[in-house]
Amino acid sequence: MRGIVMLLRTITMLTLGLSLLLVGCNEATNSDLSNEELSQLNETSQANGLEYKAKKNSNSSTILEIAANNEDFSILAQAVIFANLDKALDGKRQLTVFAPTNDAFEALLSELGLTAEELLVEENKNLVKSILLYHVAPGNRPAEDVVDSDKIRTLSKKFIGVEVDDGSVQVGNNENGFVNVIATDIMASNGVVHVIDGVMLPSTSKGDYDDDDEEDDDDDSEDDD
């Protein structure tokens, strides 16, 4: 059974592969998407033949219910329950979740040489939880708010960077790379879900979007019920 130390070492080896998704950082603001580009982003799921909407009005379903009721998110739902985050994603607090698909998780597991069952063991719970929290931000942030941000603070207390290029949006960090946002604005009763095509790994180095807490941190207190 591989322990946390071995996993962390293996994850470090993923940096090179994941960095192929990296979009070059620039200091200019990349948030000025046109209405046409936003529309293009919102239609990406249809172009890829993806069906992420809840069977009933998603506004009446929680984030966890959306994940649990969609076969494309079964590994995510399993990991959330394993990490004891199910109450958070099934509650009233408004959250934004960047949700990796099963394909995204399977790609990571393949690189690690593990199955989901081998990863989701007690000794790895803190590691899995830290990765999942890196995919959750406080507050309800629809696509237009995401692209208006250079970085977004997550519940892991680390920031994810946001890169916009020619109508496509990537999220992640410089150390471990960026992943693509492939569907947006799946509205839930307790927030919103954006679908991503990879699992984001938190940066272990300071200064990778984590140099200050002054930006994108004002939603922490406004949505707790």
Side-chain angles (χ1 to χ4, degrees):
M1 192 68 65
R2 294 173 172 82
I4 294 177
V5 173
M6 183 174 291
L7 273 175
L8 287 174
R9 290 176 178 172
T10 309
I11 286 174
T12 301
M13 295 175 63
L14 291 179
T15 301
L16 178 60
L18 289 175
S19 63
L20 294 175
L21 295 174
L22 180 62
V23 176
C25 268
N26 60 62
E27 296 179 355
T29 300
N30 290 318
S31 59
D32 297 328
L33 278 186
S34 66
N35 290 334
E36 181 180 352
E37 288 173 318
L38 274 172
S39 177
Q40 177 184 344
L41 178 61
N42 287 325
E43 291 173 359
T44 303
S45 60
Q46 296 178 1
N48 290 333
L50 303 174
E51 294 291 341
Y52 290 119
K53 296 297 182 183
K55 294 180 181 178
K56 57 183 179 179
N57 184 350
S58 60
N59 283 315
S60 65
S61 301
T62 66
I63 292 171
L64 181 61
E65 288 171 341
I66 290 173
N69 292 327
N70 193 305
E71 61 183 11
D72 290 312
F73 299 131
S74 61
I75 298 178
L76 173 62
Q78 182 183 2
V80 165
I81 293 171
F82 165 76
N84 296 327
L85 296 176
D86 46 316
K87 289 184 179 180
L89 298 188
D90 204 36
K92 295 182 180 180
R93 183 185 185 187
Q94 293 294 299
L95 299 169
T96 298
V97 173
F98 294 92
T101 62
N102 282 354
D103 286 345
F105 274 107
E106 287 168 358
L108 177 62
L109 289 169
S110 177
E111 292 288 344
L112 293 172
L114 297 173
T115 64
E117 290 73 22
E118 290 171 333
L119 175 64
L120 302 180
V121 295
E122 189 66 28
E123 64 191 272
N124 297 332
K125 180 168 285 189
N126 288 339
L127 173 65
V128 172
K129 184 175 182 179
S130 68
I131 292 174
L132 291 177
L133 288 176
Y134 191 60
H135 292 72
V136 184
N140 187 322
R141 297 173 180 269
E144 60 183 334
D145 287 350
V146 171
V147 299
D148 279 341
S149 303
D150 291 323
K151 62 181 182 179
I152 297 173
R153 190 172 189 256
T154 70
L155 294 187
S156 71
K157 306 302 182 184
K158 289 182 172 291
F159 286 91
I160 57 174
V162 180
E163 299 288 340
V164 181
D165 182 27
D166 193 26
S168 65
V169 177
Q170 295 84 32
V171 289
N173 59 69
N174 293 327
E175 180 180 328
N176 292 317
F178 287 72
V179 301
N180 297 301
V181 178
I182 59 174
T184 62
D185 292 342
I186 303 174
M187 297 300 176
S189 62
N190 60 336
V192 61
V193 177
H194 305 303
V195 185
I196 55 178
D197 68 354
V199 178
M200 297 185 292
L201 301 178
S203 173
T204 59
S205 61
K206 292 185 177 181
D208 195 357
Y209 294 101
D210 291 327
D211 51 346
D212 61 69
D213 284 351
E214 66 183 19
E215 184 176 344
D216 291 317
D217 195 25
D218 48 42
D219 286 326
D220 248 324
S221 59
E222 69 181 44
D223 296 305
D224 289 316
D225 283 343

